[in-house]
């Protein structure tokens, strides 16, 4: 059990900075997810915490120790790798017990810890098999088991689910969450999948180009994205961004369509902005958008539909840009049909067109 | 006149059959047959006197043959293990080099580019008791007060031969093990670091099991090589002094071509081949097991 602090941590390869002075405080027992597109520095950051990458500058603190110069084995962490990284020549039992064997624990204690971990992860019938004879999901469970037998201070997960198929991924996601509830250790989890981030995290850390863009609970980053990058990265489908200019309290889009500025925002005339609308907040009239005091209406032709059962995703065109909208209680829509859409303005966002920064902040 | 019509598959395979028969099968059968005769090169008619187990009985009761057999096994064991250890060390060091590794890898293969005969002459010179480098160096450094008879004393001569063998062939191990090192996935090594392994433990529990198949491949190749060792020994000591460095094939060569007792030489040759086969089978079984351990299938 331990807190983790990153203090102005930098990773530099030659003249190239891949992680730019990031700072982050992680509480004891917290489940923190680092998420971002590939190349954003999230894995590098995790590997610096693990001790697999040298820390170019700044400090990493685990518990109350600065661990910059400690090798991985002295940090009391354990890590689950993307490719499982099991030892192929050892049985599942040997894989699970390896770290304890290295630590010269008595055999009885090793057996007890292995049996406990195997029971938690339903690996008991597989203990005498080798990794080669296991399925992807089973290997992933062994990798997690290997991490939990040591009762480490911090669990590090490096994209652990990205090699699994979609169904198994959902299943393992639940298992990881259960495991965290059971074990209660601090977890740092790296993924590029925003759904994993939303479902697992106590707090999400969104990274881009080696910087932390926003830190917050899943709902915070979903409802109050700090900028247009977070807005389009978190949430599925991504938030619609419509370029326009503010004039007289209205956002005027490229084709002259005008939508009132969302309530509570005060923006000077002439400022170029992006109007951000999630698909959940733009729906055809009569299809269950809860009525609010701040509604706007637009007419759009529908170009494509994706029926999902309880709802249909509509692709429409507004002022030359593609807009994704949801239709609850769906009825069949033929492509080309013009529909009148309602927009819940109080749930909309404005971002500066140049910097992308949210004007709500 | 009717022409015999052969089936097409036979016609197509016939050239291969004829070549294999001419090059491999007939000489093999002939030598096997002659090993059952007292065939003497200068008396061709002896080829027709079959005396079934005589040559084999003679070989198996001949102290010289068993001495050569034992010495060959000793040379195999010592040379292969030394080459493996040195090759492993060399490969591990070269794999850590970041600049000029390509150059080093090329340089590492130089010993393999020399004819074993030349290597034999070179080491004969190096270990010469009068003008040799080793004795000169030892005496100049004050480590020895008189010339050591490297190639005259039986044990020292075998040691000198092993030195020459190891010098030429360590790179076979080094190259193959280096290839193995490049093929090791990095993930398990990182997992081992996180699991608490010291560098030695990482090597012992992760790197080495991954290298074992490569080591056994090198062992299999080299065991065939060393079991037929002839050239270096022939040049350096000619099996002497007083048969003290006689190996199976120097003994067989001498019996066949110097004493002209080809029937007897062939019989010993077949026993020697059994030894080679035994070593190869042993290392292949080990290789298969090491691969199975790694989940690489058979």
């Amino acid at each position: 059990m331990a807190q983790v602090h990153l203090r102005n941590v930098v990773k530099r390869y030659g003249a190239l900075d891949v992680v730019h002075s990031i700072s982050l405080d992680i509480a004891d027992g917290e489940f923190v997810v680092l998420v971002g597109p590939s190349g954003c520095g999230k894995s590098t950051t995790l590997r610096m915490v693990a001790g697999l990458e040298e820390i170019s500058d700044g400090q990493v603190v685990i518990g109350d120790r600065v661990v910059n110069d400690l090798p991985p084995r002295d940090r009391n962490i354990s890590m689950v790798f993307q490719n499982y990284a099991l030892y192929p020549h050892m049985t599942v039992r040997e894989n699970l017990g390896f770290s304890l064997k290295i630590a010269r624990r008595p055999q009885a204690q090793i057996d007890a810890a292995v049996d406990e971990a195997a029971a938690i992860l339903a690996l008991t019938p597989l203990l005498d098999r080798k990794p080669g004879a296991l399925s992807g999901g089973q290997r992933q469970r062994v990798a997690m088991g290997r991490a939990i037998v040591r009762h480490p201070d911090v669990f590090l997960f490096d994209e652990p689910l990205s090699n699994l198929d979609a169904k198994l991924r959902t299943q393992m996601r639940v298992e990881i969450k259960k495991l965290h509830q059971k074990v209660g250790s601090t977890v740092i989890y790296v993924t590029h999948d925003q759904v994993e981030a939303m479902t697992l995290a106590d707090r999400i850390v969104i990274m881009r180009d080696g910087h932390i863009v926003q830190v917050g609970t899943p709902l915070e980053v979903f409802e109050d994205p700090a900028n247009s990058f977070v807005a389009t990265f978190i949430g599925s489908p991504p938030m619609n961004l419509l370029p326009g200019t503010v004039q007289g309290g209205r956002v005027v889009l490229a084709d002259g369509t005008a939508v009132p500025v969302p309530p509570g925002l005060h923006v000077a005339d002439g400022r170029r902005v992006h109007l951000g609308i999630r698909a959940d907040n733009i729906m055809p009239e009569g299809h269950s958008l809860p009525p609010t005091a701040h509604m706007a209406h637009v007419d759009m032709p529908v170009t494509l539909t994706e029926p999902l059962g309880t709802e249909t995703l509509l692709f429409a065109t507004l002022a030359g840009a593609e807009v994704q909208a949801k239709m609850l209680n769906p009825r069949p829509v033929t492509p080309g049909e013009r529909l009148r859409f309602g927009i819940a303005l109080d749930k909309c966002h404005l971002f500066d067109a140049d910097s992308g920064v949210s004007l709500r902040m | 006149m009717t022409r015999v019509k052969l089936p097409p598959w036979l016609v197509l395979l016939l050239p291969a059959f004829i070549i294999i028969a001419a090059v491999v099968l007939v000489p093999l059968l002939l030598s096997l047959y002659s090993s059952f005769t007292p065939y003497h090169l200068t008396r061709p008619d002896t080829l027709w006197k079959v005396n079934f187990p005589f040559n084999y009985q003679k070989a198996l009761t001949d102290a010289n043959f068993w001495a050569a057999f034992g010495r060959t096994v000793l040379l195999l064991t010592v040379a292969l293990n030394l080459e493996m250890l040195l090759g492993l060390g060399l490969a591990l060091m070269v794999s850590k080099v970041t600049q000029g590794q390509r150059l080093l890898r090329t340089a590492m293969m130089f010993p393999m580019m020399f004819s074993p005969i030349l290597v034999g002459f070179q080491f004969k010179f190096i270990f010469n008791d009068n003008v040799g480098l080793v004795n000169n160096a030892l005496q100049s450094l004050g480590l020895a007060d008189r010339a050591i008879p490297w190639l005259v004393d039986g044990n020292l001569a075998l040691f000198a031969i092993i030195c020459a063998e190891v010098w030429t062939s360590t790179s076979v191990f080094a190259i193959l093990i280096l290839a193995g090192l490049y093929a090791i996935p990095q993930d398990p090594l990182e997992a081992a670091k996180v699991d608490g392994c010291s560098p030695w433990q990482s090597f012992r529990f992760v790197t080495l099991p991954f290298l074992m198949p490569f080591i056994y491949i090198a062992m299999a190749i080299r065991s065939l090589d060393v079991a037929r060792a002839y050239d270096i020994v022939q040049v350096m000591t000619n099996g002497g002094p007083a048969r003290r460095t006689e190996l199976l094939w120097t003994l067989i060569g001498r019996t066949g071509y110097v004493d002209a007792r080809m029937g007897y030489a062939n019989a010993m040759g077949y026993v020697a081949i059994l030894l080679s086969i035994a070593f190869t089978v042993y290392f292949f079984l080990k290789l298969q097991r090491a691969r199975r351990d790694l989940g690489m299938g058979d």
Side-chain angles (χ1 to χ4, degrees):
Chain A
M1 304 284 144
Q3 307 156 339
V4 178
H5 305 281
L6 307 186
R7 295 187 186 135
N8 302 317
V9 170
V10 175
K11 180 65 194 178
R12 208 174 281 131
Y13 291 110
L16 183 72
D17 281 17
V18 288
V19 174
H20 306 269
S21 186
I22 62 172
S23 296
L24 184 65
D25 294 308
I26 299 169
D28 183 18
E30 196 176 16
F31 198 125
V32 167
V33 175
L34 304 184
V35 66
S38 43
C40 70
K42 56 191 190 299
S43 279
T44 311
T45 306
L46 189 78
R47 292 167 60 83
M48 284 193 284
V49 176
L52 297 171
E53 296 279 353
E54 222 170 281
I55 298 159
S56 308
D57 207 349
Q59 276 185 338
V60 172
V61 180
I62 297 176
D64 43 16
R65 291 183 305 167
V66 175
V67 296
N68 281 36
D69 297 322
L70 293 181
R73 60 192 162 117
D74 295 332
R75 296 188 182 195
N76 202 18
I77 44 144
S78 58
M79 184 156 172
V80 178
F81 294 81
Q82 182 175 357
N83 301 318
Y84 322 129
L86 301 178
Y87 310 117
H89 51 293
M90 300 182 196
T91 61
V92 170
R93 179 184 293 283
E94 288 163 341
N95 263 287
L96 292 178
F98 184 64
S99 59
L100 300 179
K101 184 180 147 196
I102 291 297
R104 301 237 165 96
R105 301 282 182 78
Q107 190 60 41
Q109 196 185 341
I110 297 178
D111 288 342
V114 167
D115 288 340
E116 185 200 349
I120 291 177
L121 292 161
L123 286 170
T124 312
L126 307 174
L127 279 176
D128 293 319
R129 292 212 203 154
K130 287 204 175 151
L134 301 179
S135 70
Q138 291 168 336
R139 286 181 206 187
Q140 190 56 60
R141 289 216 301 275
V142 176
M144 282 175 14
R146 197 170 59 178
I148 62 176
V149 288
R150 302 176 52 202
H151 298 289
D153 288 338
V154 184
F155 279 106
L156 306 175
F157 288 86
D158 189 6
E159 309 217 13
L161 305 184
S162 51
N163 282 359
L164 301 178
D165 64 52
K167 196 177 161 200
L168 208 50
R169 200 179 305 168
T170 320
Q171 215 174 308
M172 292 303 294
R173 213 165 64 203
V174 177
E175 300 230 3
I176 290 177
K177 193 149 195 173
K178 278 188 196 158
L179 183 70
H180 178 243
Q181 284 170 357
K182 212 176 291 182
V183 182
S185 301
T186 311
V187 175
I188 308 179
Y189 186 107
V190 161
T191 179
H192 60 266
D193 180 354
Q194 57 92 17
V195 179
E196 265 172 46
M198 292 291 284
T199 49
L200 288 172
D202 292 331
R203 267 195 311 158
I204 296 183
V205 177
I206 298 149
M207 293 185 67
R208 183 196 196 184
D209 298 336
H211 294 281
I212 290 179
V213 184
Q214 189 174 2
V215 181
T217 65
L219 280 183
E220 277 167 16
V221 296
F222 183 78
E223 287 178 351
D224 279 315
N227 60 25
S228 54
F229 168 76
V230 176
T232 49
F233 193 80
I234 297 288
S236 175
M239 187 186 282
N240 301 297
L241 291 181
L242 299 168
T245 313
V246 175
Q247 269 165 20
R250 291 145 73 86
V251 181
V252 181
L253 306 180
D255 67 344
T257 312
V259 177
V261 168
L265 287 173
H266 301 284
V267 186
D269 274 10
R271 186 156 189 187
R272 293 189 308 113
V273 294
H274 283 145
L275 175 63
I277 313 168
R278 288 207 187 274
D280 315 67
N281 301 319
I282 176 165
M283 293 189 192
E285 279 198 324
H287 286 275
S288 303
L289 190 61
T292 66
H294 303 280
M295 291 292 284
H297 296 277
V298 287
D299 281 333
M300 293 189 291
V302 174
T303 53
L304 191 78
T305 63
E306 278 186 349
L308 298 168
T310 50
E311 61 189 38
T312 293
L313 200 57
L314 302 177
F315 290 74
T317 314
L318 181 60
E322 186 175 79
V323 172
Q324 295 184 38
K326 272 188 187 167
M327 183 189 219
L328 299 185
N329 312 318
R331 65 166 175 85
V333 178
T334 44
E337 197 177 330
R338 277 190 90 83
L339 291 177
R340 190 169 165 77
F341 287 84
I343 302 173
L345 279 178
D346 52 341
K347 299 271 180 65
C348 291
H349 303 265
L350 279 188
F351 303 99
D352 185 85
D354 299 317
S355 66
V357 172
S358 172
L359 302 180
R360 206 182 267 287
M361 292 283 156
Chain B
M1 194 174 103
T2 55
R3 291 180 58 186
V4 184
K5 191 114 168 91
L6 292 169
W9 61 266
L10 186 58
V11 177
L12 290 169
L13 285 175
L14 215 49
F17 279 144
I18 293 172
I19 291 171
I20 289 176
V23 177
V24 181
L25 202 60
V26 171
L28 201 67
L29 289 176
L30 194 65
S31 65
L32 185 63
Y33 164 76
S34 75
S35 75
F36 298 130
T37 68
Y39 181 40
H40 199 282
L41 284 179
T42 56
R43 279 172 280 143
D45 55 314
T46 51
L47 187 57
W48 310 114
K49 285 190 224 158
V50 177
N51 186 348
F52 170 56
F54 174 71
N55 284 328
Y56 290 89
Q57 245 170 16
K58 191 170 153 193
L60 297 182
T61 51
D62 183 353
N64 283 330
F65 174 78
W66 283 116
F69 188 95
R71 213 169 281 123
T72 307
V73 173
L74 179 73
L75 178 72
L76 261 169
T77 317
V78 175
L80 285 191
N81 282 304
L82 265 181
E83 284 170 23
M84 194 271 280
L85 288 177
L86 292 174
L88 181 63
L90 202 56
L92 286 172
M93 284 193 283
V94 170
S95 74
K96 294 284 176 211
V97 173
T98 48
Q99 280 189 349
Q101 200 193 73
R102 211 176 261 262
L103 198 72
L104 266 178
R105 287 206 304 259
T106 313
M108 218 160 69
M109 297 181 70
F110 280 169
M112 291 160 73
M113 297 175 193
F114 297 110
S115 153
I117 299 278
L118 286 180
V119 175
F121 279 122
Q122 183 59 35
F123 273 84
K124 191 177 186 177
F125 164 68
I126 289 174
F127 283 107
N128 185 291
D129 44 6
N130 277 323
V131 294
L133 288 175
V134 175
N135 273 352
N136 273 326
L138 287 178
Q139 284 171 332
S140 307
L141 292 169
L143 294 171
D145 49 358
R146 74 193 109 138
I148 299 169
W150 287 107
L151 296 173
V152 178
D153 180 280
N155 292 328
L156 290 179
L158 198 62
F159 170 79
I161 289 168
I162 288 174
C163 283
E165 275 289 344
V166 168
W167 182 82
T168 32
S169 302
T170 291
S171 50
V172 176
F173 277 88
I175 296 285
L176 280 165
I177 291 173
L178 197 57
L181 280 173
Y182 289 140
I184 294 181
Q186 286 308 299
D187 281 6
L189 283 171
E190 292 190 337
K193 272 192 209 169
V194 174
D195 267 348
C197 285
S198 63
W200 160 251
Q201 286 167 325
S202 292
F203 173 77
R204 165 75 187 77
F205 293 112
V206 183
T207 307
L208 200 57
F210 272 104
L211 287 181
M212 282 327 279
F214 293 86
I215 289 175
Y216 285 127
I217 288 173
M219 284 279 196
I221 294 173
R222 283 293 298 151
S223 68
L224 282 176
D225 252 4
V226 180
R228 61 163 200 212
Y230 177 81
D231 27 30
I232 288 183
V233 184
Q234 184 65 24
V235 169
M236 284 178 74
T237 62
N238 192 13
R243 291 183 182 258
R244 282 288 194 47
T245 55
E246 190 87 294
L247 300 180
L248 273 178
W249 285 101
T250 57
L251 176 65
I252 293 165
R254 197 184 324 283
T255 311
Y257 299 111
V258 179
D259 305 348
R261 284 148 57 205
M262 195 48 92
Y264 184 37
N266 276 334
M268 290 195 288
Y270 274 94
V271 179
I273 282 171
L274 288 182
L275 176 70
S276 296
I277 291 175
F279 267 95
T280 313
V281 167
Y282 172 73
F283 286 127
F284 261 88
L285 290 178
K286 293 290 249 181
L287 168 66
Q288 241 174 22
R289 220 184 118 178
R291 283 174 57 86
R292 214 174 22 241
D293 276 352
L294 286 173
M296 292 160 94
D298 297 292

